[in-house]
Amino acid sequence: MRCSGMIDIAKAAETIKSGGLVAFPTETVYGLGANALDAAACAKIYAAKGRPSDNPLIMHISDAAMLDGIVSDVSKQAKALMQAFWPGPLTIIFQSVPRGTIFDTTGIRMPKNPIALDLIKAAGVPIAAPSANISGRPSPTTAAHVAADLGDKVDMILDGGPCDVGLESTVIDCSGKVPVILRPGAITREMIEQLIGPVDMITEAAANEAPKSPGMKYKHYAPRAKVTVIIGAAADVRKKLDELPKSDKIRTVTMQDMGGNLDAMAANLFDMLRKCDEDGIEEVFVEGVAEKGLGTAIMNRLIKAASYNVLKV
Ligand code: TXA
Ligand code: MG
């Protein structure tokens, strides 16, 4: 594995073109990339991550022309979303052009991170990339996170520093009549509805019964430590945190500890969860936030990390 300070886009693009795996930064989280049009290369992604084979990969493009031959229908709403939010942290699911895969839809995103865009351009093919973590671990927001999970399984890691957003992209299914948000992210429901009107959003409870997005079935974002999310009025949450027994195996984390606002909390959340494991923490209690705007995405990841263990005070 080569992990250099210099970002060698040409070498990384060659690696992608010759069927290898390159981890690269995006504005959301680091991705584990392979040539999306090379089935054998994509199979390596599944093997490296330990990802279940029924969980489809999203494709990353650098130019809307790359949709040609891959998706069969672009709805009016999808067009509006692409125009407003690409490049950026929004994955759109389209009907696929039939090409012998087991999935009849394809998720596509145009990332904003210049390293990601340069890599896709230089490779000249769409790059399939899930988050570059071992399946079930918190998504990686630094090159060091990638190296810790997949260091010996990737050909190259491009180090672009910490990711801006820190949470995976919003996923919206535009393959049916009414668009459905399958995963909340930094492009919020509010931003989407302001642009294209009402959309649906799959709740976790409904997703547990009949997962629309295969990824919803699997345990996600889980650190080894037991996580409890505490929700309630700020003063009550603080009081509860203060009352907890003091121990070097127990950690309490407030929004203030993660930067004091939602953007900072999103950017630091996965790193916080990984640090708990590194430090041998057994129990972590985290202050929850209101489920609106970016708070919806933060709580979505946090509640999964906590395996639905939420304490209301
Ligand atoms: O921000 C991101 O989206 C990152 C960066 C690297 O771009 N990628 C990422 O990929 O989070 P992944 O594979 O970890 O998550 C993609 C999610 C999964 O839950 C997957 O099940 C869902 O999108 N998904 C992908 N294709 C789908 C499809 N055709 N229909 C429904 N859900 C799909
Ligand atoms: Mg993932």
Side-chain angles (χ1 to χ4, degrees):
M1 195 261 313
R2 300 181 294 273
C3 184
S4 67
M6 281 278 294
I7 301 202
D8 193 339
I9 295 286
K11 196 180 208 169
E14 274 316 310
T15 304
I16 292 284
K17 282 194 275 189
S18 58
L21 296 183
V22 175
F24 62 97
T26 82
E27 69 278 21
T28 58
V29 299
Y30 276 73
L32 177 60
N35 179 352
L37 308 178
D38 177 342
C42 290
K44 290 187 193 168
I45 293 180
Y46 286 90
K49 277 184 63 100
R51 183 180 178 100
S53 59
D54 67 346
N55 194 358
L57 303 175
I58 63 176
M59 287 190 194
H60 296 67
I61 60 174
S62 56
D63 187 317
M66 281 180 161
L67 291 173
D68 295 349
I70 293 174
V71 311
S72 65
D73 183 47
V74 179
S75 67
K76 225 170 75 186
Q77 291 116 318
K79 265 191 200 120
L81 292 170
M82 288 159 60
Q83 214 153 38
F85 302 123
W86 279 5
L90 180 72
T91 297
I92 303 176
I93 296 183
F94 301 92
Q95 289 287 344
S96 315
V97 169
R99 55 174 196 285
T101 61
I102 56 170
F103 308 111
D104 52 14
T105 57
T106 306
I108 306 213
R109 151 166 137 78
M110 189 189 291
K112 195 182 216 154
N113 181 296
I115 298 171
L117 283 174
D118 284 351
L119 175 63
I120 302 163
K121 273 183 215 151
V125 290
I127 296 186
S131 49
N133 52 290
I134 297 285
S135 253
R137 295 267 295 145
S139 289
T141 55
T142 66
H145 294 164
V146 180
D149 275 19
L150 299 171
D152 52 349
K153 298 189 175 122
V154 295
D155 298 300
M156 262 180 106
I157 299 174
L158 301 180
D159 186 350
C163 298
D164 287 343
V165 175
L167 301 178
E168 308 86 341
S169 62
T170 306
V171 177
I172 186 163
D173 185 351
C174 290
S175 68
K177 274 208 180 74
V178 179
V180 188
I181 295 175
L182 301 181
R183 179 172 73 183
I187 304 299
T188 63
R189 179 182 195 159
E190 292 86 340
M191 291 158 75
I192 288 171
E193 292 194 325
Q194 198 175 357
L195 186 75
I196 61 170
V199 298
D200 285 339
M201 180 150 150
I202 296 280
T203 64
E204 286 305 317
N208 281 341
E209 274 163 31
K212 246 306 222 157
S213 176
M216 288 173 160
K217 282 191 302 220
Y218 305 106
K219 190 173 166 177
H220 253 128
Y221 320 113
R224 280 181 284 272
K226 178 181 178 210
V227 182
T228 302
V229 184
I230 306 186
I231 55 173
D236 296 335
V237 172
R238 200 61 46 88
K239 185 160 167 281
K240 182 76 204 171
L241 291 175
D242 285 344
E243 285 165 6
L244 290 168
K246 304 283 173 276
S247 149
D248 57 6
K249 300 283 177 214
I250 298 178
R251 181 167 290 173
T252 61
V253 182
T254 62
M255 177 157 101
Q256 204 55 43
D257 296 329
M258 281 188 283
N261 60 61
L262 293 179
D263 288 333
M265 187 170 179
N268 291 319
L269 183 64
F270 289 144
D271 185 61
M272 180 279 286
L273 292 172
R274 281 176 178 263
K275 282 224 171 79
C276 286
D277 280 350
E278 276 166 31
D279 297 346
I281 298 296
E282 285 166 8
E283 276 209 71
V284 53
F285 296 83
V286 188
E287 178 179 21
V289 296
E291 294 192 45
K292 55 178 191 237
L294 186 58
T296 305
I298 291 173
M299 285 298 276
N300 171 270
R301 307 311 193 273
L302 203 44
I303 287 171
K304 285 189 197 179
S307 301
Y308 303 91
N309 179 26
V310 180
L311 177 67
K312 180 148 179 29
V313 292

PDB file of all heavy atoms in Angstrom, residues 9 37 71 94 143 148 155 160 167 184 206 246 287 307 311:
ATOM      1  N   ILE A   9      -2.365  11.918  -8.804  1.00  0.00           N
ATOM      2  CA  ILE A   9      -3.628  11.605  -9.481  1.00  0.00           C
ATOM      3  C   ILE A   9      -3.391  10.669 -10.673  1.00  0.00           C
ATOM      4  O   ILE A   9      -4.157   9.734 -10.905  1.00  0.00           O
ATOM      5  CB  ILE A   9      -4.329  12.907  -9.964  1.00  0.00           C
ATOM      6  CG1 ILE A   9      -4.736  13.775  -8.768  1.00  0.00           C
ATOM      7  CG2 ILE A   9      -5.529  12.592 -10.858  1.00  0.00           C
ATOM      8  CD1 ILE A   9      -5.922  13.291  -7.982  1.00  0.00           C
ATOM      9  N   LEU A  37     -17.170   0.154 -14.218  1.00  0.00           N
ATOM     10  CA  LEU A  37     -17.555  -0.637 -15.385  1.00  0.00           C
ATOM     11  C   LEU A  37     -16.788  -1.964 -15.455  1.00  0.00           C
ATOM     12  O   LEU A  37     -16.915  -2.710 -16.415  1.00  0.00           O
ATOM     13  CB  LEU A  37     -17.314   0.177 -16.668  1.00  0.00           C
ATOM     14  CG  LEU A  37     -17.951   1.580 -16.663  1.00  0.00           C
ATOM     15  CD1 LEU A  37     -17.630   2.330 -17.945  1.00  0.00           C
ATOM     16  CD2 LEU A  37     -19.464   1.493 -16.451  1.00  0.00           C
ATOM     17  N   VAL A  71     -27.866   5.262 -17.018  1.00  0.00           N
ATOM     18  CA  VAL A  71     -29.228   5.413 -16.497  1.00  0.00           C
ATOM     19  C   VAL A  71     -30.190   5.618 -17.672  1.00  0.00           C
ATOM     20  O   VAL A  71     -29.820   6.163 -18.714  1.00  0.00           O
ATOM     21  CB  VAL A  71     -29.347   6.563 -15.469  1.00  0.00           C
ATOM     22  CG1 VAL A  71     -28.252   6.447 -14.421  1.00  0.00           C
ATOM     23  CG2 VAL A  71     -29.304   7.920 -16.126  1.00  0.00           C
ATOM     24  N   PHE A  94     -31.391   6.312  -9.982  1.00  0.00           N
ATOM     25  CA  PHE A  94     -32.083   6.331 -11.279  1.00  0.00           C
ATOM     26  C   PHE A  94     -32.416   4.899 -11.706  1.00  0.00           C
ATOM     27  O   PHE A  94     -31.788   3.945 -11.243  1.00  0.00           O
ATOM     28  CB  PHE A  94     -31.153   6.905 -12.356  1.00  0.00           C
ATOM     29  CG  PHE A  94     -30.645   8.298 -12.114  1.00  0.00           C
ATOM     30  CD1 PHE A  94     -29.434   8.514 -11.461  1.00  0.00           C
ATOM     31  CD2 PHE A  94     -31.357   9.405 -12.572  1.00  0.00           C
ATOM     32  CE1 PHE A  94     -28.937   9.799 -11.263  1.00  0.00           C
ATOM     33  CE2 PHE A  94     -30.865  10.697 -12.381  1.00  0.00           C
ATOM     34  CZ  PHE A  94     -29.658  10.892 -11.724  1.00  0.00           C
ATOM     35  N   ALA A 143      -7.618   9.965   6.117  1.00  0.00           N
ATOM     36  CA  ALA A 143      -6.844   8.892   5.483  1.00  0.00           C
ATOM     37  C   ALA A 143      -6.382   7.881   6.533  1.00  0.00           C
ATOM     38  O   ALA A 143      -6.277   6.683   6.259  1.00  0.00           O
ATOM     39  CB  ALA A 143      -5.656   9.482   4.736  1.00  0.00           C
ATOM     40  N   ALA A 148      -6.414   2.429   8.876  1.00  0.00           N
ATOM     41  CA  ALA A 148      -6.685   1.550  10.020  1.00  0.00           C
ATOM     42  C   ALA A 148      -7.602   0.395   9.623  1.00  0.00           C
ATOM     43  O   ALA A 148      -7.413  -0.740  10.052  1.00  0.00           O
ATOM     44  CB  ALA A 148      -7.311   2.356  11.159  1.00  0.00           C
ATOM     45  N   ASP A 155      -4.689  -0.554  -3.009  1.00  0.00           N
ATOM     46  CA  ASP A 155      -3.443  -0.302  -3.718  1.00  0.00           C
ATOM     47  C   ASP A 155      -2.899   1.073  -3.393  1.00  0.00           C
ATOM     48  O   ASP A 155      -1.688   1.299  -3.395  1.00  0.00           O
ATOM     49  CB  ASP A 155      -3.684  -0.448  -5.221  1.00  0.00           C
ATOM     50  CG  ASP A 155      -4.113  -1.868  -5.564  1.00  0.00           C
ATOM     51  OD1 ASP A 155      -3.333  -2.795  -5.285  1.00  0.00           O
ATOM     52  OD2 ASP A 155      -5.237  -2.053  -6.065  1.00  0.00           O
ATOM     53  N   GLY A 160      -6.348  13.513   1.454  1.00  0.00           N
ATOM     54  CA  GLY A 160      -6.786  14.891   1.206  1.00  0.00           C
ATOM     55  C   GLY A 160      -7.147  15.604   2.492  1.00  0.00           C
ATOM     56  O   GLY A 160      -7.882  16.591   2.455  1.00  0.00           O
ATOM     57  N   LEU A 167     -20.284  13.267   7.111  1.00  0.00           N
ATOM     58  CA  LEU A 167     -21.350  12.257   7.052  1.00  0.00           C
ATOM     59  C   LEU A 167     -21.561  11.900   5.591  1.00  0.00           C
ATOM     60  O   LEU A 167     -21.400  12.749   4.708  1.00  0.00           O
ATOM     61  CB  LEU A 167     -22.667  12.804   7.615  1.00  0.00           C
ATOM     62  CG  LEU A 167     -22.670  13.287   9.060  1.00  0.00           C
ATOM     63  CD1 LEU A 167     -24.058  13.842   9.409  1.00  0.00           C
ATOM     64  CD2 LEU A 167     -22.281  12.174  10.023  1.00  0.00           C
ATOM     65  N   PRO A 184     -30.601  10.367   5.108  1.00  0.00           N
ATOM     66  CA  PRO A 184     -30.455  11.813   5.270  1.00  0.00           C
ATOM     67  C   PRO A 184     -28.982  12.213   5.279  1.00  0.00           C
ATOM     68  O   PRO A 184     -28.128  11.443   5.719  1.00  0.00           O
ATOM     69  CB  PRO A 184     -31.099  12.088   6.634  1.00  0.00           C
ATOM     70  CG  PRO A 184     -31.020  10.800   7.384  1.00  0.00           C
ATOM     71  CD  PRO A 184     -31.002   9.692   6.360  1.00  0.00           C
ATOM     72  N   ALA A 206     -39.761   1.809   9.322  1.00  0.00           N
ATOM     73  CA  ALA A 206     -40.288   1.241   8.084  1.00  0.00           C
ATOM     74  C   ALA A 206     -39.186   0.488   7.350  1.00  0.00           C
ATOM     75  O   ALA A 206     -39.412  -0.581   6.790  1.00  0.00           O
ATOM     76  CB  ALA A 206     -40.854   2.350   7.203  1.00  0.00           C
ATOM     77  N   LYS A 246     -17.901   8.466  37.248  1.00  0.00           N
ATOM     78  CA  LYS A 246     -16.658   8.846  36.552  1.00  0.00           C
ATOM     79  C   LYS A 246     -15.765   7.610  36.466  1.00  0.00           C
ATOM     80  O   LYS A 246     -15.506   6.945  37.464  1.00  0.00           O
ATOM     81  CB  LYS A 246     -15.925   9.952  37.326  1.00  0.00           C
ATOM     82  CG  LYS A 246     -16.781  11.195  37.584  1.00  0.00           C
ATOM     83  CD  LYS A 246     -16.900  12.065  36.332  1.00  0.00           C
ATOM     84  CE  LYS A 246     -17.877  13.213  36.516  1.00  0.00           C
ATOM     85  NZ  LYS A 246     -19.291  12.897  36.277  1.00  0.00           N
ATOM     86  N   GLU A 287     -24.746  13.490  23.741  1.00  0.00           N
ATOM     87  CA  GLU A 287     -25.893  14.404  23.696  1.00  0.00           C
ATOM     88  C   GLU A 287     -26.529  14.379  22.304  1.00  0.00           C
ATOM     89  O   GLU A 287     -25.829  14.569  21.299  1.00  0.00           O
ATOM     90  CB  GLU A 287     -25.403  15.824  24.008  1.00  0.00           C
ATOM     91  CG  GLU A 287     -26.500  16.875  23.949  1.00  0.00           C
ATOM     92  CD  GLU A 287     -25.984  18.288  24.279  1.00  0.00           C
ATOM     93  OE1 GLU A 287     -24.771  18.551  24.178  1.00  0.00           O
ATOM     94  OE2 GLU A 287     -26.829  19.120  24.655  1.00  0.00           O
ATOM     95  N   SER A 307     -27.175   1.539  18.260  1.00  0.00           N
ATOM     96  CA  SER A 307     -28.095   0.398  18.103  1.00  0.00           C
ATOM     97  C   SER A 307     -29.460   0.710  18.711  1.00  0.00           C
ATOM     98  O   SER A 307     -30.037  -0.103  19.436  1.00  0.00           O
ATOM     99  CB  SER A 307     -27.498  -0.875  18.699  1.00  0.00           C
ATOM    100  OG  SER A 307     -26.278  -1.175  18.078  1.00  0.00           O
ATOM    101  N   LEU A 311     -31.947   7.424  25.282  1.00  0.00           N
ATOM    102  CA  LEU A 311     -32.483   7.697  26.618  1.00  0.00           C
ATOM    103  C   LEU A 311     -33.071   9.104  26.644  1.00  0.00           C
ATOM    104  O   LEU A 311     -32.377  10.077  26.348  1.00  0.00           O
ATOM    105  CB  LEU A 311     -31.345   7.593  27.632  1.00  0.00           C
ATOM    106  CG  LEU A 311     -31.661   7.905  29.093  1.00  0.00           C
ATOM    107  CD1 LEU A 311     -32.612   6.850  29.663  1.00  0.00           C
ATOM    108  CD2 LEU A 311     -30.374   7.946  29.913  1.00  0.00           C
TER     109      LEU A 311
END
